[in-house]
């Protein structure tokens, strides 16, 4: 049975802990504020105080991971998640192709990225880095915003022959809003008309002062075409990541964020997810957004089958009952029964939100650690 302290319960109900203690005394229970009580007792108290009980898993309501924190001793180093942003055609996908030894650009309609790619590479030094590729086309603001919000580091790609353009500025703004550190990759430096110094100067207008200008934003001249500066770019990413001491608990039921989802004619609903913490495994029962399902198979970015996906790993998941939405949280649960409960709860919440009739305010919400 799960437990909660009297103080924590009082806090969640926005009541005085002393009043709870008093109330329990009347029920014949002697407890102190810091004592833990079982779920049934907690529910009794919630009813006693006239609040509504909503049984949801902690991870379910804790989408931004503010209260359900993994204990320090469970945390292990994880790879950084790096989102590539920048104006259309400035060479984001080409840079990733060069880093991965692939040719994604050639397969793109009109050479324009229209979805978010997710990849993990192993560096020469043996470190792993997860990359998210975003589209630069003006129409895809949402994707860029999402990219900035799920990442540890942003690499801003600016073509040295084109300079600061509207979506460069947009990317800078998303990055600042997300509070994420940035590394500037000045690309296409192989071109005769490239003018990296001008890029650095124009960045000043947006309060980005790069190292070359004695600031603290790392910058690097690169060429996706010749491979110039790519090792240096990786070094800078790893340096930044090291400063951040990125960690996650791999030994728990997984939580992941949906990067992209679609309906495949043959395979059914497909979701590319990024594991936030825990390890996602084939066979896991899950809730994702308002959908539920079971992991039937997982594929990495090269289409290889995986049995498990640790933190910061991007994987394509097969076996979800319907198509979730980008940005949805995927939560592994212990049983199908639980999956149905949570997805029903989420559906209710979604409906309530749509009809703007949600009566539950935070102070009446009681989340049991069920
Ligand atoms: P969107 O995803 O549509 O925003 O574009 P992108 O930023 O991913 O650019 P992409 O990688 O598709 O490259 C656009 C064009 O620039 C392609 O024709 C590339 O071959 C070319 N290109 C990319 N990087 C370089 C480079 O370093 N040097 C030169 N000369 N051309 C490059
Ligand atoms: Mg692209």
């Amino acid at each position: 049975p799960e437990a909660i302290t009297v103080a924590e319960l009082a806090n969640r109900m926005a009541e005085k802990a002393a009043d709870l203690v008093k109330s329990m005394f009347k029920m014949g229970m002697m407890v102190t504020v810091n004592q833990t009580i079982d779920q049934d007792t907690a529910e009794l108290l919630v009813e006693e105080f006239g609040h509504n009980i909503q049984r949801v898993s902690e991870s379910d309501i804790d989408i931004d991971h503010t209260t359900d924190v993994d204990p320090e001793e469970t945390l292990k180093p994880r790879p950084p998640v790096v989102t590539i942003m920048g104006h259309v055609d400035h060479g984001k996908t080409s840079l990733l192709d060069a880093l991965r030894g692939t040719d994604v650009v050639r397969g793109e309609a009109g050479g324009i990225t229209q979805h978010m790619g997710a990849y993990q590479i192993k560096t020469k030094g043996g470190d792993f880095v997860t990359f998210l590729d975003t589209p630069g086309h003006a129409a895809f603001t949402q994707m860029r915003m999402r990219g900035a919000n799920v990442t540890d580091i942003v690499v801003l790609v600016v073509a040295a022959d084109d300079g600061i353009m509207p979506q460069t500025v947009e990317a800078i703004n998303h990055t600042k809003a997300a509070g994420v550190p940035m590394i500037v990759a000045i690309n296409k430096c192989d071109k005769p008309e490239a003018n990296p110094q001008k890029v650095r100067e124009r960045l000043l207008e947006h309060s980005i002062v790069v190292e070359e200008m004695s600031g603290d934003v790392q910058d690097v001249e690169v060429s996706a075409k010749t491979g110039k500066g790519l090792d240096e770019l990786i070094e800078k990413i790893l340096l930044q990541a090291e400063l951040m001491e990125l960690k996650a608990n791999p030994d728990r039921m997984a939580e992941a964020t949906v990067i992209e989802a679609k309906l495949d004619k043959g395979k059914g609903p497909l979701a590319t997810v990024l594991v936030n913490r825990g390890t996602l495994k084939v066979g896991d029962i899950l809730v994702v957004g308002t959908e539920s399902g079971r992991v039937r198979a997982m594929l990495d970015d090269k289409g290889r089958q995986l049995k498990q996906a640790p933190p910061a790993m991007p994987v394509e998941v097969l076996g979800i009952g319907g198509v979730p939405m980008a940005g949805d949280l995927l939560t592994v649960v212990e049983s199908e029964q639980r999956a149905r409960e949570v997805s029903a709860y989420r559906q209710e919440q979604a409906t309530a939100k749509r009809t703007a009739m949600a009566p539950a305010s935070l102070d009446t919400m009681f989340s049991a650690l069920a």
Side-chain angles (χ1 to χ4, degrees):
E2 300 290 347
I4 187 169
T5 67
V6 175
E8 171 69 357
L9 179 60
N11 184 30
R12 290 189 191 186
M13 295 198 300
E15 296 284 357
K16 287 199 193 85
D19 290 343
L20 266 68
V21 172
K22 234 182 268 170
S23 181
M24 288 178 75
F25 183 69
K26 280 188 205 147
M27 294 185 224
M29 288 176 271
M30 291 283 284
V31 292
T32 61
V33 171
N34 292 318
Q35 209 165 321
T36 51
I37 53 175
D38 64 26
Q39 190 171 311
D40 289 342
T41 310
E43 287 188 1
L44 214 66
L45 275 170
V46 171
E47 265 161 7
E48 180 79 12
F49 280 82
H51 296 278
N52 298 321
I53 296 171
Q54 291 180 344
R55 274 186 188 237
V56 290
S57 80
E58 178 144 297
S59 55
D60 187 39
I61 59 155
D62 187 26
I63 288 172
D64 53 1
H65 307 195
T66 46
T67 59
D68 173 19
V69 177
D70 289 303
E72 179 68 33
E73 65 272 15
T74 64
L75 304 180
K76 303 217 173 98
R78 63 159 176 88
V81 177
V82 180
T83 297
I84 312 284
M85 304 227 269
H87 195 72
V88 68
D89 269 355
H90 278 199
K92 299 175 289 297
T93 307
S94 299
L95 270 178
L96 277 173
D97 276 341
L99 289 169
R100 299 174 63 222
T102 52
D103 197 354
V104 173
V105 170
R106 198 183 296 272
E108 289 180 334
I112 297 245
T113 302
Q114 307 201 32
H115 67 100
M116 213 138 108
Y119 315 99
Q120 192 170 74
I121 66 158
K122 191 176 183 181
T123 67
K124 285 173 192 159
D127 300 291
F128 290 94
V129 180
T130 299
F131 284 104
L132 300 178
D133 186 17
T134 64
H137 191 279
F140 301 110
T141 298
Q142 286 296 327
M143 268 188 247
R144 282 186 290 274
M145 209 184 287
R146 233 170 35 235
N149 282 319
V150 298
T151 199
D152 301 308
I153 299 166
V154 164
V155 168
L156 181 72
V157 175
V158 187
D161 60 336
D162 204 24
I164 312 296
M165 298 301 279
Q167 271 61 55
T168 316
V169 176
E170 196 204 294
I172 291 171
N173 292 336
H174 291 319
T175 307
K176 281 185 185 162
V180 173
M182 177 189 278
I183 297 170
V184 180
I186 306 175
N187 190 31
K188 307 201 186 184
C189 285
D190 58 283
K191 287 194 158 185
E193 63 270 40
N195 190 346
Q197 191 53 27
K198 189 172 159 207
V199 171
R200 295 188 188 99
E201 282 162 17
R202 291 285 314 281
L203 281 171
L204 292 172
E205 294 163 28
H206 304 280
S207 316
I208 307 286
V209 191
V210 298
E211 278 178 334
E212 277 277 317
M213 309 283 282
S214 310
D216 54 9
V217 177
Q218 300 196 84
D219 65 311
V220 52
E221 292 183 16
V222 297
S223 164
K225 194 173 169 186
T226 67
K228 171 194 154 94
L230 294 186
D231 288 345
E232 204 185 327
L233 174 60
I234 291 291
E235 268 168 37
K236 297 202 172 200
I237 289 169
L238 293 175
L239 181 69
Q240 180 63 53
E242 209 177 296
L243 292 175
M244 299 170 86
E245 292 186 47
L246 303 165
K247 288 179 183 165
N249 174 7
D251 306 309
R252 54 166 289 154
M253 290 198 290
E255 262 177 28
T257 305
V258 176
I259 302 299
E260 275 225 315
K262 64 179 181 199
L263 187 64
D264 182 273
K265 271 192 193 135
K267 297 176 189 159
L270 289 181
T272 303
V273 307
L274 182 65
V275 178
N276 306 327
R277 56 178 175 171
T279 298
L280 187 61
K281 301 179 178 124
V282 169
D284 275 350
I285 299 163
L286 55 83
V287 181
V288 50
T290 54
E291 306 293 342
S292 58
R294 184 189 280 266
V295 181
R296 191 145 44 83
M298 287 192 294
L299 304 175
D300 73 4
D301 56 74
K302 294 207 160 109
R304 290 175 298 217
Q305 297 245 4
L306 296 178
K307 289 236 152 47
Q308 357 198 348
M313 181 81 170
V315 281
E316 193 169 62
V317 176
L318 283 76
I320 304 169
V323 183
M325 291 198 307
D328 277 350
L329 185 74
L330 180 155
T331 315
V332 172
V333 293
E334 62 273 21
S335 66
E336 268 165 28
Q337 153 90 5
R338 184 90 195 114
R340 279 193 296 274
E341 274 170 25
V342 177
S343 71
Y345 170 78
R346 286 186 181 179
Q347 254 154 33
E348 247 169 59
Q349 295 289 100
T351 310
K353 215 182 223 171
R354 269 201 301 278
T355 52
M357 297 195 324
S361 61
L362 269 180
D363 60 346
T364 59
M365 187 187 285
F366 163 54
S367 95
L369 295 149

